[in-house]
């Protein structure tokens, strides 16, 4: 399935790669006159990339909290 392959590809991206592609898509959507179908495809891909970036940031925050004995970046106790 094509979409499954695309999602697997996104799930293999590191934060920097996902963010770079997301920024490129955003630039294209803002600057180019694209057919509606292509715009929707790019928007969908951008949403998936944004989700991947958020997932990776959440995972990194959990790792930092674990290393800090459950404390967040600011040093306060987690409210979760």
């Amino acid at each position: 399935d094509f979409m499954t392959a695309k999602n697997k590809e996104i799930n293999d991206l590191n934060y920097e790669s996902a963010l770079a592609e997301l920024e490129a898509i955003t630039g294209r959507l803002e600057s180019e006159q694209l057919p509606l179908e292509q715009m929707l495809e790019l928007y969908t891909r951008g949403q998936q990339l944004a989700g991947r970036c958020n997932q990776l940031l959440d995972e990194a925050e959990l790792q930092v909290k674990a290393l800090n004995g459950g404390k967040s970046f600011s040093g306060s106790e987690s409210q979760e």
Side-chain angles (χ1 to χ4, degrees), residues 1-70:
D1 179 63
F2 177 72
M3 287 307 289
T4 303
K6 281 285 202 185
N7 289 338
K8 184 177 186 302
E9 175 190 320
I10 287 174
N11 289 333
D12 291 338
L13 293 175
N14 64 24
Y15 179 81
E16 291 77 13
S17 297
L19 184 61
E21 185 177 345
L22 179 58
E23 289 173 342
I25 287 173
T26 301
R28 286 188 66 194
L29 289 172
E30 290 175 346
S31 66
E32 294 183 28
Q33 292 287 346
L34 299 169
L36 180 60
E37 185 175 320
Q38 188 175 2
M39 287 178 67
L40 290 172
E41 287 175 7
L42 286 171
Y43 180 82
T44 299
R45 176 82 175 169
Q47 287 293 309
Q48 293 168 341
L49 289 163
R52 176 65 176 156
C53 288
N54 285 330
Q55 174 193 10
L56 291 168
L57 288 173
D58 288 345
E59 290 173 5
E61 183 176 7
L62 288 174
Q63 289 176 352
V64 170
K65 282 182 182 180
L67 292 171
N68 286 332

